[in-house]
Amino acid sequence: MRIPVVALVGRPNVGKSTLFNRLLRRRQAVVDDTPGVTRDRHVGLTEWGGRSFYIIDTGGWDPAAREGIEARIAAQVGEALGECDAVLFLTDAREGLQPGDEEISRALRRLPAAPAVLLLVNKADSDRWETHGHEFHALGWDDTLAISAMDGRGLGEALDQLLTHLPAGGSMRAPAEGIRVAILGRPNVGKSSLTNRLIGKERVIVDERPGTTRDAIDVLWRWQGRTFWLIDTAGIRHRWGHLPGFEFYASLRSVRALDRSDVAILLIDASQKLSRQDQRIASIVEESGLPALVLVNKWDLVAKSTNTMRRHATELRRALSFLDYAPVLYVSALTGQRLSKIAPEIVKLYAESRRRVPTRELNDVLREAIQRNPPRGGRGRRPPKILYATQVRTGPPLIVLFTRRGERIGDAYRRYLARRFREAFGFAGSPLRLRVREAGRRGR
Ligand code: GDP
Ligand code: GDP
């Protein structure tokens, strides 16, 4: 199922980050979330009414930029916006309608792909402000709603409305045979080099389906009778890549590439310090739920002594702790070092991500884990009573834990259970998600 993408646009200070953070906080119950890891986010996966969508914050988009690099950015972001399924256009009830709002409104109307646009008049914390919203009807968007990103007022209604504009979720993944592999990483880590090296000389460029952008090219790779499609996002590279707005653009392309893939490869440059951009891309990979393989490329450039690799691995794990389930290979696209290990690894990760554990086996492990280390109740609460577990989904594996009254299970205990499940069943390379549900009266 393709996950829809929703973009957040608006002048500075209208409340985009506030809304973004609020929407992401809804997404809880993910066991691999590691507290303390700063993830400088522009994109996040969220859920409303049982449906998931990506939300992307466009940050510093200024459609009014007329010249120079800013104008080109504006054009790029504008073009990228055309690939979104819907746009949340944020304005500020307290400031009232501003020229900048009109500018953005016009830019949105010019988008050739014409995504659905919801105009949200933010900071309507009380009825008093809600009435201020009316002047925004002048912009002429049918869906104009007053909200407060800060306290959540009106947000439910706005999201319900948003859902009516999102595609129900047909599949864009190729029915074609083969494993689809997205190759992600910041500019210059070696994505093109790796792709070319893996496939040899004949670089076959295919796939003209809609949704395939010029920037992500699908390349056929055959290895020992198996077929892979490499989705190379090397095109996400522009001279003005460091400017605001670019992150949104790059994130969108990464999300789109992951959407069409079965396995994600994250490329890191061994010769450079790990950057925020690496972390950001890694967090997009984690959210996609795809099985992931980390390749530390340009290993040939690193002067090695006895412990070089171990030290690097420790540092990498710390910086990308939320991707701790992903295996790491130290490679060189230049010399070919260890490239032969990539295909077998992909095949394994793909198979593991589809693994479905029979409920009986799962519950044997659960019972044993609880016996060995029973959950405790925090802060005067009674310990949660975990009745049983079942795997409700593969790719990524999702295990639901049923408790009598839907009691919360602390993060540390979730991690413990996830670890036990992993030890027993593998799921190598895949994020393992645990969710808690109430068993209800019928739950035993
Ligand atoms: P951005 O620049 O569009 O990302 O805007 P921010 O999210 O940083 O918000 C700008 C300011 O508006 C901050 O001081 C927020 O606390 C405030 N703000 C955001 N949403 C609301 C809201 O619903 N009501 C009120 N009163 N203030 C808000
Ligand atoms: P992309 O932007 O991620 O597609 O990166 P490229 O594939 O264009 O590579 C960027 C630069 O890094 C080029 O000059 C490559 O020759 C170089 N490069 C790529 N892989 C390696 C490697 O494993 N070792 C070394 N030394 N250089 C590499």
Side-chain angles (χ1 to χ4, degrees):
M1 293 271 265
R2 193 175 72 81
I3 301 175
V5 179
V6 176
L8 214 54
V9 304
R11 289 183 297 108
N13 275 316
V14 293
K16 293 184 296 298
S17 327
T18 308
L19 181 60
F20 182 78
N21 290 329
R22 187 167 189 95
L23 288 172
L24 290 201
R25 235 177 301 130
R26 295 190 181 285
R27 193 183 70 99
Q28 284 164 346
V30 173
V31 70
D32 296 301
D33 269 357
T34 315
V37 179
T38 38
R39 291 201 242 172
D40 179 18
R41 310 283 283 268
H42 292 266
V43 55
L45 191 61
T46 187
E47 204 181 72
W48 181 255
R51 283 164 66 189
S52 299
F53 55 92
Y54 281 103
I55 181 112
I56 296 193
D57 183 358
T58 59
W61 184 43
D62 176 12
R66 290 272 172 265
E67 48 193 44
I69 256 166
E70 281 78 7
R72 270 181 289 167
I73 278 282
Q76 289 285 343
V77 174
E79 187 189 317
L81 278 174
E83 289 174 32
C84 295
D85 297 284
V87 173
L88 295 178
F89 171 19
L90 232 63
T91 57
D92 185 333
R94 293 168 187 239
E95 286 195 58
L97 187 58
Q98 300 289 315
D101 298 326
E102 287 164 357
E103 208 58 69
I104 291 175
S105 194
R106 271 196 295 276
L108 290 174
R109 289 211 191 277
R110 278 198 301 265
L111 297 176
V117 173
L118 259 72
L119 173 59
L120 302 181
V121 183
N122 188 34
K123 309 196 187 177
D125 307 345
S126 67
D127 295 337
R128 185 161 78 88
W129 293 109
E130 212 158 306
T131 55
H132 277 241
H134 293 310
E135 64 188 284
F136 289 94
H137 285 288
L139 293 176
W141 296 101
D142 289 336
D143 295 306
T144 299
L145 296 124
I147 64 156
S148 165
M150 206 155 70
D151 63 22
R153 187 185 167 99
L155 202 54
E157 202 184 318
L159 292 173
D160 286 345
Q161 188 66 18
L162 171 67
L163 287 191
T164 67
H165 293 293
L166 298 184
S171 178
M172 272 217 333
R173 274 186 208 174
E177 151 220 31
I179 303 178
R180 303 179 74 84
V181 184
I183 302 182
L184 301 182
R186 63 188 166 82
N188 277 318
V189 292
K191 297 181 293 299
S192 315
S193 308
L194 177 73
T195 306
N196 287 325
R197 183 86 196 203
L198 288 176
I199 61 168
K201 284 228 159 37
E202 1 115 50
R203 192 177 166 109
V204 197
I205 297 170
V206 282
D207 223 330
E208 295 287 321
R209 279 175 302 112
T212 311
T213 66
R214 270 158 288 147
D215 283 355
I217 306 161
D218 295 5
V219 178
L220 178 68
W221 175 31
R222 285 198 197 279
W223 174 86
Q224 297 193 356
R226 299 202 65 127
T227 302
F228 302 89
W229 292 95
L230 299 181
I231 299 170
D232 176 356
T233 59
I236 306 176
R237 167 169 40 178
H238 297 276
R239 274 179 296 127
W240 54 93
H242 59 283
L243 288 177
F246 171 78
E247 291 302 346
F248 156 75
Y249 176 76
S251 300
L252 178 64
R253 295 294 157 101
S254 302
V255 163
R256 281 286 188 230
L258 290 167
D259 248 6
R260 300 186 288 125
S261 302
D262 303 304
V263 174
I265 287 185
L266 173 67
L267 235 65
I268 301 282
D269 187 334
S271 66
Q272 306 275 319
K273 267 193 93 62
L274 214 69
S275 71
R276 266 170 177 272
Q277 207 180 347
D278 291 316
Q279 282 195 315
R280 191 177 296 134
I281 297 170
S283 82
I284 297 174
V285 168
E286 187 260 341
E287 290 214 336
S288 75
L290 292 182
L293 170 63
V294 177
L295 297 183
V296 181
N297 190 35
K298 309 197 190 180
W299 196 238
D300 58 287
L301 292 181
V302 175
K304 288 158 207 88
S305 61
T306 347
N307 282 323
T308 313
M309 197 185 283
R310 216 179 53 208
R311 240 181 292 124
H312 192 281
T314 311
E315 196 151 306
L316 189 70
R317 285 293 180 214
R318 189 163 13 183
L320 303 182
S321 53
F322 50 89
L323 263 190
D324 59 358
Y325 52 84
V328 180
L329 288 176
Y330 287 82
V331 302
S332 168
L334 189 73
T335 67
Q337 190 183 17
R338 288 193 202 88
L339 296 189
S340 62
K341 295 197 190 296
I342 294 176
E345 198 64 45
I346 292 171
V347 169
K348 186 176 114 200
L349 296 186
Y350 180 66
E352 288 284 317
S353 76
R354 321 238 122 198
R355 174 192 292 273
R356 192 181 281 282
V357 176
T359 300
R360 241 209 21 230
E361 289 177 32
L362 193 64
N363 283 284
D364 287 345
V365 172
L366 176 69
R367 240 189 322 277
E368 197 219 274
I370 292 176
Q371 244 160 40
R372 205 194 288 186
N373 174 18
R376 281 187 291 260
R379 287 187 224 107
R381 270 177 287 137
R382 265 192 293 170
K385 180 113 182 93
I386 305 169
L387 300 174
Y388 59 95
T390 181
Q391 182 182 352
V392 296
R393 214 170 55 200
T394 62
L398 171 64
I399 291 175
V400 174
L401 301 165
F402 287 89
T403 59
R404 200 185 300 285
R405 275 175 291 274
E407 302 99 286
R408 233 184 80 73
I409 298 176
D411 288 343
Y413 201 74
R414 282 161 181 266
R415 275 196 294 275
Y416 163 70
L417 288 181
R419 212 162 44 237
R420 298 292 302 129
F421 289 144
R422 261 192 206 288
E423 279 162 19
F425 308 115
F427 300 121
S430 285
L432 174 58
R433 301 192 163 158
L434 300 188
R435 210 163 272 175
V436 180
R437 274 202 208 132
E438 184 181 343
R441 242 174 282 148
R442 294 174 358 153
R444 215 188 295 196

Coordinates of all heavy atoms in Angstrom, one line a residue, residues 286-335:
E286 N 13.7 4.5 9.1 CA 13.1 3.8 10.3 C 11.6 3.9 10.2 O 10.9 2.9 10.4 CB 13.7 4.4 11.6 CG 13.2 3.6 12.8 CD 12.0 4.2 13.5 OE1 11.8 5.4 13.3 OE2 11.4 3.6 14.3
E287 N 11.1 5.1 9.9 CA 9.7 5.2 9.9 C 9.0 4.5 8.7 O 7.8 4.1 8.8 CB 9.4 6.7 9.7 CG 9.7 7.5 10.9 CD 8.7 8.6 11.1 OE1 8.1 9.1 10.1 OE2 8.6 9.1 12.2
S288 N 9.8 4.2 7.7 CA 9.2 3.5 6.6 C 8.8 2.1 7.0 O 7.9 1.5 6.3 CB 10.1 3.5 5.4 OG 11.2 2.5 5.6
G289 N 9.4 1.6 8.0 CA 9.2 0.2 8.4 C 9.8 -0.8 7.6 O 9.7 -2.0 7.8
L290 N 10.6 -0.4 6.6 CA 11.2 -1.4 5.7 C 12.4 -2.0 6.4 O 13.1 -1.3 7.2 CB 11.7 -0.7 4.4 CG 10.7 -0.2 3.4 CD1 11.4 0.4 2.2 CD2 9.7 -1.3 3.0
P291 N 12.8 -3.2 6.0 CA 14.0 -3.8 6.5 C 15.1 -2.9 6.0 O 15.1 -2.5 4.8 CB 14.0 -5.2 5.9 CG 13.0 -5.2 4.9 CD 12.0 -4.1 5.2
A292 N 16.2 -2.7 6.8 CA 17.2 -1.8 6.4 C 18.6 -2.4 6.5 O 18.9 -3.2 7.4 CB 17.1 -0.5 7.3
L293 N 19.5 -2.0 5.6 CA 20.9 -2.4 5.6 C 21.7 -1.1 5.6 O 21.4 -0.2 4.8 CB 21.1 -3.2 4.4 CG 22.6 -3.6 4.1 CD1 23.2 -4.4 5.2 CD2 22.7 -4.3 2.8
V294 N 22.6 -1.0 6.5 CA 23.5 0.2 6.5 C 24.8 -0.2 5.9 O 25.4 -1.2 6.2 CB 23.7 0.7 8.0 CG1 24.7 1.9 8.0 CG2 22.4 1.1 8.7
L295 N 25.2 0.6 4.9 CA 26.5 0.4 4.2 C 27.4 1.6 4.6 O 27.0 2.7 4.3 CB 26.3 0.3 2.7 CG 25.5 -0.9 2.2 CD1 25.5 -0.9 0.7 CD2 26.0 -2.2 2.7
V296 N 28.5 1.3 5.2 CA 29.5 2.3 5.5 C 30.4 2.3 4.3 O 31.2 1.4 4.2 CB 30.2 2.1 6.8 CG1 31.2 3.2 7.0 CG2 29.2 2.1 7.9
N297 N 30.3 3.2 3.4 CA 31.0 3.2 2.1 C 32.3 4.0 2.2 O 32.6 4.7 3.2 CB 30.1 3.8 1.0 CG 30.7 3.7 -0.4 OD1 31.3 2.6 -0.7 ND2 30.6 4.7 -1.2
K298 N 33.2 3.9 1.2 CA 34.5 4.5 1.2 C 35.4 4.0 2.3 O 36.2 4.7 2.8 CB 34.4 6.1 1.2 CG 33.4 6.6 0.2 CD 33.5 8.1 0.0 CE 32.4 8.7 -0.8 NZ 32.5 10.1 -1.1
W299 N 35.2 2.8 2.7 CA 36.0 2.2 3.7 C 37.5 2.2 3.3 O 38.4 2.1 4.2 CB 35.5 0.8 4.0 CG 36.0 0.2 5.3 CD1 36.7 -0.9 5.5 CD2 35.8 0.8 6.6 NE1 37.0 -1.1 6.8 CE2 36.5 0.0 7.6 CE3 35.3 2.0 7.1 CZ2 36.6 0.3 8.9 CZ3 35.3 2.3 8.5 CH2 36.0 1.4 9.4
D300 N 37.7 2.2 2.0 CA 39.1 2.2 1.5 C 39.9 3.5 1.9 O 41.1 3.5 2.0 CB 39.1 2.1 0.0 CG 38.3 3.2 -0.7 OD1 37.0 3.2 -0.6 OD2 38.9 4.1 -1.3
L301 N 39.1 4.6 2.3 CA 39.7 5.8 2.6 C 40.2 5.9 4.1 O 40.9 6.8 4.5 CB 38.8 7.0 2.3 CG 38.5 7.3 0.9 CD1 37.6 8.5 0.8 CD2 39.8 7.6 0.1
V302 N 39.7 4.9 4.8 CA 39.9 5.0 6.3 C 41.2 4.3 6.6 O 41.4 3.2 6.3 CB 38.8 4.4 7.1 CG1 39.0 4.4 8.6 CG2 37.5 5.2 6.8
A303 N 42.1 5.0 7.3 CA 43.4 4.4 7.8 C 43.0 3.5 8.9 O 42.4 3.9 9.9 CB 44.3 5.5 8.3
K304 N 43.4 2.2 8.8 CA 42.9 1.2 9.8 C 44.0 0.8 10.7 O 45.1 0.6 10.3 CB 42.3 0.0 9.1 CG 41.0 0.4 8.4 CD 40.6 -0.6 7.3 CE 39.8 0.1 6.2 NZ 40.5 0.8 5.2
S305 N 43.5 0.6 12.0 CA 44.4 -0.1 12.9 C 43.5 -1.2 13.5 O 42.4 -1.4 13.0 CB 44.9 0.8 14.0 OG 43.8 1.4 14.7
T306 N 43.9 -1.9 14.5 CA 43.2 -3.1 15.0 C 41.7 -2.8 15.3 O 40.9 -3.7 14.9 CB 43.8 -3.6 16.3 OG1 45.1 -2.9 16.5 CG2 44.0 -5.1 16.3
N307 N 41.4 -1.7 15.9 CA 40.0 -1.6 16.4 C 39.2 -0.6 15.6 O 38.1 -0.2 16.0 CB 40.0 -1.1 17.8 CG 40.3 -2.3 18.7 OD1 39.9 -3.4 18.5 ND2 41.1 -2.1 19.8
T308 N 39.7 -0.2 14.4 CA 39.0 0.9 13.7 C 37.6 0.6 13.5 O 36.7 1.4 13.7 CB 39.7 1.1 12.3 OG1 41.1 1.2 12.6 CG2 39.2 2.4 11.7
M309 N 37.3 -0.6 13.0 CA 36.0 -1.0 12.6 C 35.1 -1.0 13.8 O 33.9 -0.5 13.8 CB 35.9 -2.3 11.8 CG 34.6 -2.5 11.1 SD 34.5 -4.1 10.3 CE 35.5 -3.9 8.8
R310 N 35.6 -1.6 14.9 CA 34.8 -1.7 16.1 C 34.4 -0.3 16.6 O 33.3 -0.1 17.1 CB 35.5 -2.6 17.1 CG 34.4 -3.4 17.9 CD 35.0 -4.3 18.9 NE 35.9 -3.6 19.8 CZ 36.9 -4.1 20.4 NH1 37.2 -5.4 20.2 NH2 37.6 -3.4 21.3
R311 N 35.4 0.5 16.6 CA 35.2 1.9 17.2 C 34.1 2.6 16.3 O 33.2 3.3 16.8 CB 36.5 2.7 17.2 CG 36.8 3.1 18.7 CD 38.1 3.9 18.8 NE 39.2 3.1 18.5 CZ 40.1 3.4 17.5 NH1 40.0 4.5 16.8 NH2 41.2 2.7 17.3
H312 N 34.3 2.5 15.0 CA 33.4 3.1 14.1 C 32.0 2.6 14.3 O 31.0 3.3 14.4 CB 33.8 2.9 12.6 CG 33.0 3.8 11.7 ND1 31.7 3.5 11.3 CD2 33.4 4.9 11.1 CE1 31.3 4.4 10.4 NE2 32.3 5.3 10.3
A313 N 31.9 1.3 14.5 CA 30.5 0.7 14.7 C 29.9 1.2 15.9 O 28.7 1.4 15.9 CB 30.7 -0.9 14.7
T314 N 30.7 1.3 17.0 CA 30.1 1.8 18.3 C 29.5 3.2 18.1 O 28.4 3.5 18.5 CB 31.2 1.8 19.4 OG1 31.8 0.5 19.3 CG2 30.6 2.0 20.7
E315 N 30.3 4.0 17.4 CA 29.9 5.4 17.2 C 28.6 5.5 16.4 O 27.7 6.2 16.6 CB 31.0 6.2 16.6 CG 30.8 7.7 16.7 CD 32.2 8.3 16.6 OE1 33.0 8.0 17.5 OE2 32.4 9.2 15.8
L316 N 28.6 4.6 15.3 CA 27.5 4.6 14.4 C 26.2 4.2 15.2 O 25.2 4.8 15.0 CB 27.8 3.6 13.3 CG 26.8 3.5 12.1 CD1 27.0 4.8 11.3 CD2 27.1 2.3 11.3
R317 N 26.3 3.2 16.0 CA 25.2 2.7 16.8 C 24.6 3.7 17.7 O 23.4 3.8 17.9 CB 25.6 1.5 17.6 CG 25.8 0.2 16.8 CD 24.4 -0.3 16.2 NE 24.6 -1.5 15.5 CZ 23.8 -1.8 14.4 NH1 22.9 -0.9 14.0 NH2 24.0 -2.9 13.7
R318 N 25.5 4.5 18.2 CA 25.1 5.6 19.1 C 24.3 6.7 18.4 O 23.3 7.1 18.8 CB 26.3 6.2 19.9 CG 25.8 7.1 21.0 CD 26.9 7.4 21.9 NE 28.2 6.9 21.3 CZ 29.3 6.9 21.9 NH1 29.5 7.4 23.0 NH2 30.4 6.5 21.2
A319 N 24.9 7.1 17.2 CA 24.3 8.1 16.5 C 23.0 7.7 15.8 O 22.0 8.5 15.6 CB 25.2 8.7 15.4
L320 N 22.9 6.4 15.5 CA 21.7 5.9 14.8 C 21.0 4.9 15.6 O 20.7 3.8 15.1 CB 22.0 5.4 13.4 CG 22.8 6.3 12.4 CD1 23.0 5.6 11.1 CD2 22.0 7.5 12.2
S321 N 20.9 5.2 16.9 CA 20.4 4.1 17.8 C 19.0 3.6 17.4 O 18.7 2.5 17.7 CB 20.4 4.6 19.3 OG 19.6 5.8 19.3
F322 N 18.2 4.5 16.8 CA 16.9 4.0 16.4 C 16.9 3.0 15.2 O 15.9 2.5 14.9 CB 16.0 5.2 16.1 CG 16.6 6.2 15.2 CD1 16.4 6.1 13.8 CD2 17.3 7.3 15.7 CE1 16.9 6.9 12.9 CE2 17.9 8.2 14.8 CZ 17.7 8.0 13.4
L323 N 18.0 2.9 14.6 CA 18.2 1.9 13.5 C 19.0 0.7 14.0 O 19.6 0.0 13.2 CB 18.9 2.5 12.3 CG 18.1 3.1 11.2 CD1 19.0 3.5 10.0 CD2 17.0 2.2 10.7
D324 N 18.9 0.4 15.3 CA 19.8 -0.6 15.8 C 19.6 -2.0 15.3 O 20.4 -2.9 15.4 CB 19.8 -0.6 17.4 CG 18.4 -0.9 17.9 OD1 17.5 -1.0 17.1 OD2 18.3 -0.9 19.1
Y325 N 18.4 -2.2 14.7 CA 18.1 -3.5 14.1 C 18.7 -3.8 12.8 O 18.7 -4.9 12.3 CB 16.6 -3.7 14.0 CG 15.9 -2.5 13.3 CD1 15.9 -2.6 11.9 CD2 15.4 -1.4 13.9 CE1 15.3 -1.5 11.2 CE2 14.9 -0.4 13.2 CZ 14.8 -0.4 11.8 OH 14.3 0.6 11.2
A326 N 19.3 -2.7 12.2 CA 19.8 -2.8 10.8 C 21.3 -3.4 10.8 O 22.1 -2.8 11.5 CB 19.8 -1.5 10.1
P327 N 21.6 -4.4 10.1 CA 23.0 -4.9 10.0 C 23.8 -3.8 9.3 O 23.3 -3.0 8.5 CB 22.9 -6.2 9.2 CG 21.5 -6.1 8.5 CD 20.6 -5.2 9.3
V328 N 25.1 -3.9 9.6 CA 26.0 -2.9 9.0 C 27.1 -3.6 8.2 O 27.7 -4.6 8.7 CB 26.7 -2.0 10.1 CG1 27.6 -1.0 9.5 CG2 25.6 -1.3 10.9
L329 N 27.4 -3.1 7.0 CA 28.5 -3.7 6.2 C 29.5 -2.5 5.9 O 29.1 -1.4 5.6 CB 28.1 -4.3 4.9 CG 27.3 -5.6 5.0 CD1 26.9 -6.0 3.5 CD2 28.2 -6.7 5.5
Y330 N 30.8 -2.8 6.0 CA 31.8 -1.8 5.6 C 32.3 -2.2 4.2 O 32.8 -3.2 4.0 CB 32.9 -1.9 6.7 CG 32.5 -1.3 8.0 CD1 31.8 -2.0 8.9 CD2 32.7 0.1 8.3 CE1 31.3 -1.4 10.1 CE2 32.3 0.6 9.4 CZ 31.5 -0.1 10.3 OH 31.1 0.5 11.5
V331 N 32.0 -1.2 3.3 CA 32.3 -1.6 1.9 C 33.0 -0.4 1.2 O 33.2 0.6 1.8 CB 30.9 -1.8 1.2 CG1 30.1 -2.9 1.8 CG2 30.1 -0.5 1.1
S332 N 33.4 -0.7 0.0 CA 33.9 0.3 -0.9 C 33.4 0.1 -2.3 O 33.6 -0.9 -2.9 CB 35.5 0.3 -0.9 OG 35.9 1.1 -2.0
A333 N 32.6 1.1 -2.7 CA 32.1 1.1 -4.1 C 33.2 1.2 -5.1 O 33.1 0.8 -6.2 CB 31.1 2.2 -4.3
L334 N 34.4 1.8 -4.6 CA 35.5 2.0 -5.5 C 36.3 0.8 -5.7 O 36.5 0.4 -6.9 CB 36.4 3.1 -4.9 CG 37.5 3.6 -5.8 CD1 36.9 4.5 -6.9 CD2 38.5 4.4 -5.0
T335 N 36.7 0.1 -4.7 CA 37.5 -1.1 -4.8 C 36.7 -2.4 -4.9 O 37.2 -3.5 -5.3 CB 38.4 -1.3 -3.6 OG1 37.6 -1.6 -2.4 CG2 39.3 0.0 -3.3

